[in-house]
Amino acid sequence: MRTVYDVQQLLKKFGTFIYIGDRLAELELMEQEIQELYQSQCMTQEDYQMAILILRSEITVLTDKQKGSLRK
């Protein structure tokens, strides 16, 4: 697992499709879903950690971009 797309494909295996139209909200919702799946013991710790890392880094990138565009 390397990208947000890979995380989406993992969620799809569990029947979870997330599309809101707001990328940041989608990423946060994906993070919550991943946490719930892990707590339900539906995924390995390795998959959980990698998915959370990918999502949080993408959230940081988007947040930084939004802050940058607000400063201009």
Side-chain angles (χ1 to χ4, degrees):
M1 201 174 344
R2 294 181 180 189
T3 64
V4 174
Y5 177 77
D6 295 333
V7 176
Q8 289 174 318
Q9 295 308 304
L10 177 65
L11 287 170
K12 196 158 88 169
K13 289 180 185 177
F14 295 101
T16 302
F17 296 83
I18 297 174
Y19 179 75
I20 299 172
D22 177 0
R23 182 72 169 162
L24 185 57
E26 289 172 0
L27 294 169
E28 291 170 348
L29 188 54
M30 281 188 245
E31 183 177 342
Q32 290 174 356
E33 288 294 323
I34 291 291
Q35 288 174 350
E36 287 181 28
L37 286 168
Y38 180 68
Q39 289 172 354
S40 300
Q41 299 177 345
C42 293
M43 62 179 11
T44 66
Q45 183 177 1
E46 182 180 306
D47 283 343
Y48 167 74
Q49 289 175 337
M50 186 56 70
I52 292 296
L53 178 67
I54 291 167
L55 292 172
R56 288 188 181 164
S57 65
E58 187 67 20
I59 288 170
T60 302
V61 168
L62 282 178
T63 305
D64 289 347
K65 281 184 182 179
Q66 288 177 352
K67 287 179 184 177
S69 66
L70 291 175
R71 292 180 190 157
K72 293 180 181 178

